[in-house]
Amino acid sequence: MSDNAPAPAAEPEAPTVKTYTEDEVNALVGGLKTKVDELLSEKKTVAQKAKEAEQARIAAEQEAAKKAGELDKFEQSLRSGFEKEKGELSATLDALKSRVVGESKKAMLGQFMGSFVAPESVDVIAQLVKTEFDGTEVKTQFTDFAGNVITTDAAEFKKWMAKHPAISHLMKAETATGGGASGSKLTHGGAVGGNDVISNWASGLQARLKQK
């Protein structure tokens, strides 16, 4: 062999998957919870100030109209102004409610992130976490892939995931007790109740992670 032969190219190093420590996950969840509390407080403050301002405006205009003897005209003007302000306040409150619900869902998903081998795998359960307003408080429900409510308790939902034949395959060994607990691969018949799609998704995600 000639001494001038080119040396074989070095194989590129495979990128590592980003993992999070328990402290990092707790810090992330804590920050999201703080954001939710801030948004809830802002929503309540906006609603209270709007109510107080409306009451003060009505009282002042009623008094002025009575003194001027133009109550009918006042009532018509009042309705027009009230509907306009009501629409603006409703839009503001709806936007705040949407932000609160969104941040609440992010915080809840953050609690489960540390249970997965790859943190991005938590995206598979995003559709199973339902957050909405119940009065003035945010309510969270956890469902299966058919949309049936399983529980409202995060700990119970985590137990359900650990036993699910598709989701457990993505979870850390100390958490999973289903088909992924022993490292076994999912089969077409491993998922029940129409879970073939999610099983295929889980297998595909793991394959992509291994290629990175």
Side-chain angles (χ1 to χ4, degrees):
M1 180 180 294
S2 173
D3 293 338
N4 295 327
E11 294 185 3
E13 295 184 2
T16 58
V17 177
K18 172 64 177 175
T19 60
Y20 293 82
T21 64
E22 183 177 353
D23 289 341
E24 289 174 330
V25 171
N26 289 338
L28 176 62
V29 173
L32 289 171
K33 287 183 177 179
T34 298
K35 184 64 175 178
V36 170
D37 290 340
E38 291 175 354
L39 290 171
L40 281 171
S41 178
E42 181 181 352
K43 172 184 173 294
K44 291 177 181 178
T45 299
V46 169
Q48 182 61 30
K49 287 184 177 181
K51 180 179 179 180
E52 293 174 354
E54 181 63 16
Q55 290 174 341
R57 184 183 69 81
I58 291 175
E61 292 188 5
Q62 281 180 332
E63 186 63 26
K66 289 177 181 178
K67 290 181 178 179
E70 298 179 351
L71 188 57
D72 291 340
K73 182 178 179 180
F74 156 74
E75 289 179 349
Q76 182 178 1
S77 174
L78 178 63
R79 292 192 192 96
S80 176
F82 173 76
E83 290 301 323
K84 179 181 178 180
E85 292 187 20
K86 180 181 178 182
E88 293 172 351
L89 287 172
S90 293
T92 300
L93 289 175
D94 287 343
L96 281 172
K97 287 171 66 176
S98 179
R99 289 177 60 193
V100 170
V101 168
E103 293 296 335
S104 296
K105 183 168 183 175
K106 287 181 182 178
M108 186 59 67
L109 290 173
Q111 293 185 35
F112 300 122
M113 189 179 295
S115 299
F116 288 87
V117 176
E120 59 265 37
S121 296
V122 78
D123 290 344
V124 76
I125 65 167
Q127 61 179 302
L128 309 182
V129 180
K130 314 294 185 183
T131 52
E132 60 183 11
F133 265 98
D134 183 11
T136 59
E137 301 298 328
V138 177
K139 177 179 68 175
T140 300
Q141 293 182 323
F142 304 96
T143 73
D144 59 19
F145 289 100
N148 302 310
V149 176
I150 300 170
T151 181
T152 57
D153 182 74
E156 290 300 318
F157 182 62
K158 187 174 180 179
K159 292 178 183 178
W160 177 86
M161 289 192 295
K163 297 178 181 178
H164 192 280
I167 300 176
S168 63
H169 199 65
L170 304 174
M171 301 178 78
K172 294 179 179 177
E174 64 270 19
T175 302
T177 60
S182 61
S184 62
K185 295 183 178 180
L186 291 174
T187 63
H188 181 74
V192 294
N195 286 325
D196 290 343
V197 173
I198 190 59
S199 297
N200 294 336
W201 187 96
S203 298
L205 176 61
Q206 285 200 330
R208 290 196 299 273
L209 291 174
K210 289 179 181 179
Q211 292 173 359
K212 291 183 178 181

